[in-house]
Amino acid sequence: VQLQASGGGLVQAGDSLRLSCAPSGRTFSTSAMGWFRQAPGKEREFVAGISGNGRMTHYGDSVKGRFTISRDNAKNMVYLQMNSLKSEDTAAYYCAARNSAIMVVSTRGYDYWGQGTQVTVSS
């Protein structure tokens, strides 16, 4: 099982990026998915989560109103649309999947992790 995250890059403050997560090895259409990020010297932080059926989402306080998580179960894909990016959003972003349809915010609740994609926002 692999989770391939992509879409990161170097942008300026105020720009937008869309991250994609492509699970492989099995279907995650009924699994809750999450995005986390980790900046150098900091702990991994919850960014956004979505339930297995896509009806429930939850965001970290620092990204509410700016980021949107979505999923396309037909394509087995999960996305993170990031708008109004700030320098403090700079981090490696990881997608994660659970063996459950219920979304949680703790890193310990996720069973599978991707390799991360770097987002760098210059001010």
Side-chain angles (χ1 to χ4, degrees):
V1 175
Q2 290 187 330
L3 301 175
Q4 183 71 37
S6 62
L10 173 62
V11 297
Q12 294 186 334
D15 285 351
S16 298
L17 275 177
R18 189 177 81 154
L19 305 184
S20 299
C21 178
S24 62
R26 53 162 278 192
T27 179
F28 285 92
S29 60
T30 58
S31 299
M33 303 290 291
W35 284 99
F36 292 77
R37 67 187 182 186
Q38 189 167 19
K42 294 187 177 181
E43 293 187 353
R44 193 163 294 190
E45 173 190 22
F46 172 80
V47 175
I50 189 165
S51 61
N53 60 14
R55 293 175 183 172
M56 294 189 65
T57 59
H58 187 68
Y59 298 91
D61 288 341
S62 60
V63 307
K64 281 180 182 177
R66 300 187 297 123
F67 290 12
T68 303
I69 188 171
S70 62
R71 67 189 301 158
D72 184 339
N73 283 345
K75 296 181 179 180
N76 206 32
M77 294 287 291
V78 178
Y79 306 98
L80 183 69
Q81 178 66 42
M82 307 186 294
N83 298 329
S84 303
L85 283 162
K86 306 176 181 179
S87 58
E88 50 262 46
D89 295 319
T90 295
Y93 283 71
Y94 300 87
C95 67
R98 299 193 71 210
N99 286 324
S100 168
I102 301 172
M103 174 190 54
V104 297
V105 302
S106 170
T107 57
R108 291 190 297 271
Y110 289 82
D111 303 290
Y112 308 97
W113 290 86
Q115 85 291 353
T117 184
Q118 179 68 35
V119 172
T120 303
V121 184
S122 63
S123 58

